[in-house]
Amino acid sequence: MPELSSSDNYPTWMGMVFVFNLIIGTGALTLPSAFSHAGWLGGLAMVILVGFISYVTVTFVIEAMASANAILHHRALMKRATAREAHFSDDSDTTENAPLVAEENVMFSLSSRVEMGEMATIYFNGPGIIAFYLCIAIYLYGDLSIYAAAIGTSLKDVICESNVNATMDTPCWSNHEITRFGCYRLCVVATGLFLGPFVFFNVQKTKYIQMLTVVFRVCAFTAMILMALIRLMRNGAEGHPSTISPSGIPRAFGACIYSFMCHHSLPSLLAPVREKKHLSWQLPLDFILIATFYVLLGITGVFAFENIEDLYTLNFLDTPSEGFMRIIGYFLALFPVFTLSASLPVVAITLRNNLAAIFARGQQPSFLRRAILPLLALLPAFGVTLLTDSVSSLVGFTGAFAGAGVQYLTPVILVYCARRYVSLTLPDAPVNPHRSPFHHSAWLIIVIAWCTLGVTFVTVNFFSHIFQQHY
């Protein structure tokens, strides 16, 4: 439970910038495609519903983190009391009655960074801990595959000749044998060779890089919304999406879950915040702002373009334009390359550390940790990426299955176990000031029911597609 020095702290608004930066990423670039499959109303409904449920589970993670701080604080006090008893047996009565619950602001705080993995070790037993790390690892594998596919696809579309009717079997350039899919694979391999070595070391992002990245992302998403609006005003609605298409809802479900994912990194982002009392109104405001961006991006996209690429940024590269607008088109097309190249090594290192928690827990640095685990983190993810360039399919699958586990099941189980643990070990403790506003037990059931319903639809849809392809 690392304590943070005052120099590491930052104001609440900066913490919200970090949350905004973490959430808005590759998943958002697949939302217009998800809207086109689910219908504009279906996509709108999924963004609002998934965004709301995601915020509910964010409050669960915050409550569980505050409870973990209290439990660890209580353990520290008990350990000191036991040590004093060993030396001063005469004072056993007073030390045993040390003020374990009087310091509620210290106990139920978010000042110490308790990561989700550490919370799992507090609240879960052995199999539960392994299941947690496996869920995180599967999600991170999907994350890496999505990042590599997004970078490879963006580079391929910039390198190859522009052709609206091109398929992956179309030659990348006229009079050349290499296909667009071959170029994509070369770009993926180059990405792995260039960024892969960083996984063998430690990489830390600074708040200045975070600030620069969030400005870059806001500019890119604002530019996409404005350019789609300009296209609508000039040409009218070229896209004619259905109002709602049930067959596309499962895909939109997975894309929306992935697009609101931040739960696994919340402790690192919120622990340094100075005025944590402001989180109760600034965090929902952050989610409303993000959902507004998503709705504007999806609605303008499905009506402005007749056909939407898996990565929405590529639609602007294919748009006929000249001069400054052409430069903006290339800027947007390369947007995933710029942003994800900085994030990919960090995700891979996080995956490597989670694999170490599963396979090399408690071991000293060894050949397994230094060489095998980094390769075990990279090779399967890039192997999947070499087989498919469908970013939207990877996003939908990762979000619907592993993402649902990280975003829905894990927070519900954590907060349920945290409440039970506190009630048993700290029966006289005050009310947790960071308790979720959705603290009624019915909300736990609602989230589980929503998760079960969504994953069931995605699973049925997945196997029905396989059945249709083979029969």
Side-chain angles (χ1 to χ4, degrees):
M1 185 176 69
E3 297 285 346
L4 298 173
S5 64
S6 58
S7 61
D8 293 327
N9 294 337
Y10 43 69
T12 312
W13 67 265
M14 186 174 288
M16 296 306 97
V17 166
F18 291 171
V19 172
F20 183 92
N21 193 30
L22 177 66
I23 293 178
I24 290 191
T26 317
L29 299 180
T30 65
L31 283 179
S33 176
F35 269 61
S36 68
H37 287 85
W40 67 267
L41 183 60
L44 175 64
M46 290 307 299
V47 167
I48 294 173
L49 287 172
V50 171
F52 174 71
I53 299 295
S54 297
Y55 172 69
V56 171
T57 53
V58 159
T59 64
F60 290 168
V61 173
I62 293 173
E63 180 182 340
M65 180 182 169
S67 297
N69 269 266
I71 292 165
L72 293 175
H73 179 71
H74 175 262
R75 288 179 180 176
L77 287 177
M78 292 298 294
K79 187 175 182 180
R80 287 200 296 269
T82 303
R84 285 198 298 268
E85 286 178 1
H87 290 85
F88 305 102
S89 58
D90 295 338
D91 298 331
S92 60
D93 292 336
T94 57
T95 54
E96 193 170 335
N97 295 315
L100 299 179
V101 298
E103 306 171 62
E104 61 175 284
N105 291 331
V106 175
M107 291 187 64
F108 290 103
S109 71
L110 302 174
S111 57
S112 297
R113 186 176 63 247
V114 186
E115 300 288 356
M116 288 184 74
E118 189 174 357
M119 284 189 254
T121 61
I122 294 173
Y123 301 131
F124 301 160
N125 55 18
I129 295 171
I130 295 298
F132 166 80
Y133 279 113
L134 282 175
C135 184
I136 288 288
I138 293 170
Y139 171 78
L140 292 173
Y141 269 122
D143 227 11
L144 271 181
S145 296
I146 292 164
Y147 282 18
I151 293 172
T153 299
S154 300
L155 288 174
K156 176 260 297 179
D157 277 74
V158 170
I159 293 172
C160 294
E161 291 178 348
S162 180
N163 186 347
V164 177
N165 299 317
T167 66
M168 293 305 289
D169 295 325
T170 303
C172 190
W173 307 280
S174 55
N175 302 322
H176 285 78
E177 294 184 359
I178 185 170
T179 63
R180 297 175 74 89
F181 191 62
C183 180
Y184 161 78
R185 284 180 164 174
L186 289 175
C187 291
V188 169
V189 171
T191 300
L193 293 175
F194 183 73
L195 299 176
F198 288 101
V199 186
F200 293 85
F201 307 98
N202 290 318
V203 178
Q204 294 181 344
K205 295 187 288 184
T206 68
K207 60 183 179 182
Y208 303 107
I209 293 177
Q210 289 275 3
M211 291 294 293
L212 181 63
T213 305
V214 79
V215 170
F216 188 66
R217 293 190 183 198
V218 169
C219 290
F221 279 89
T222 303
M224 284 186 279
I225 293 170
L226 291 177
M227 289 178 71
L229 286 172
I230 292 171
R231 185 185 179 99
L232 280 170
M233 289 186 289
R234 286 181 178 175
N235 306 328
E238 296 182 12
H240 303 283
S242 59
T243 304
I244 186 167
S245 176
S247 63
I249 293 296
R251 185 171 183 173
F253 174 79
C256 288
I257 287 182
Y258 189 79
S259 300
F260 280 101
M261 182 65 73
C262 66
H263 302 63
H264 55 299
S265 298
L266 271 180
S268 297
L269 298 179
L270 299 185
V273 170
R274 292 195 196 104
E275 297 293 332
K276 295 179 176 64
K277 61 182 179 181
H278 297 318
L279 291 174
S280 60
W281 66 270
Q282 290 196 6
L283 199 56
L285 191 64
D286 215 23
F287 267 73
I288 291 172
L289 180 62
I290 291 166
T292 303
F293 257 99
Y294 287 172
V295 169
L296 289 174
L297 192 71
I299 294 293
T300 56
V302 292
F303 285 103
F305 296 96
E306 183 178 359
N307 298 307
I308 298 183
E309 301 282 350
D310 279 352
L311 274 178
Y312 185 49
T313 48
L314 301 179
N315 276 88
F316 299 94
L317 184 63
D318 293 334
T319 302
S321 55
E322 297 180 355
F324 178 73
M325 296 301 289
R326 190 63 176 170
I327 294 174
I328 294 295
Y330 276 105
F331 164 76
L332 293 177
L334 291 172
F335 167 73
V337 179
F338 297 142
T339 56
L340 300 183
S341 293
S343 301
L344 188 147
V346 179
V347 173
I349 289 171
T350 304
L351 174 57
R352 181 200 67 190
N353 293 338
N354 278 275
L355 292 175
I358 299 173
F359 299 112
R361 191 175 180 184
Q363 295 183 13
Q364 295 298 319
S366 61
F367 180 74
L368 172 67
R369 295 175 66 96
R370 292 174 177 171
I372 302 300
L373 290 181
L375 291 176
L376 192 59
L378 286 171
L379 295 181
F382 275 81
V384 171
T385 309
L386 289 172
L387 296 176
T388 178
D389 68 318
S390 179
V391 179
S392 61
S393 296
L394 289 171
V395 167
F397 189 85
T398 302
F401 292 102
V406 175
Q407 191 172 137
Y408 294 154
L409 295 181
T410 301
V412 166
I413 298 172
L414 281 176
V415 78
Y416 174 77
C417 293
R419 291 170 183 173
R420 287 195 59 189
Y421 201 113
V422 169
S423 66
L424 291 174
T425 59
L426 302 171
D428 299 323
V431 175
N432 187 340
H434 297 288
R435 185 176 67 171
S436 168
F438 311 95
H439 55 83
H440 196 282
S441 299
W443 282 104
L444 303 181
I445 299 173
I446 290 171
V447 173
I448 293 294
W450 168 257
C451 177
T452 303
L453 182 66
V455 172
T456 300
F457 275 132
V458 172
T459 304
V460 171
N461 183 67
F462 176 73
F463 283 106
S464 65
H465 276 299
I466 293 178
F467 184 81
Q468 290 173 4
Q469 290 175 357
H470 289 82
Y471 298 98

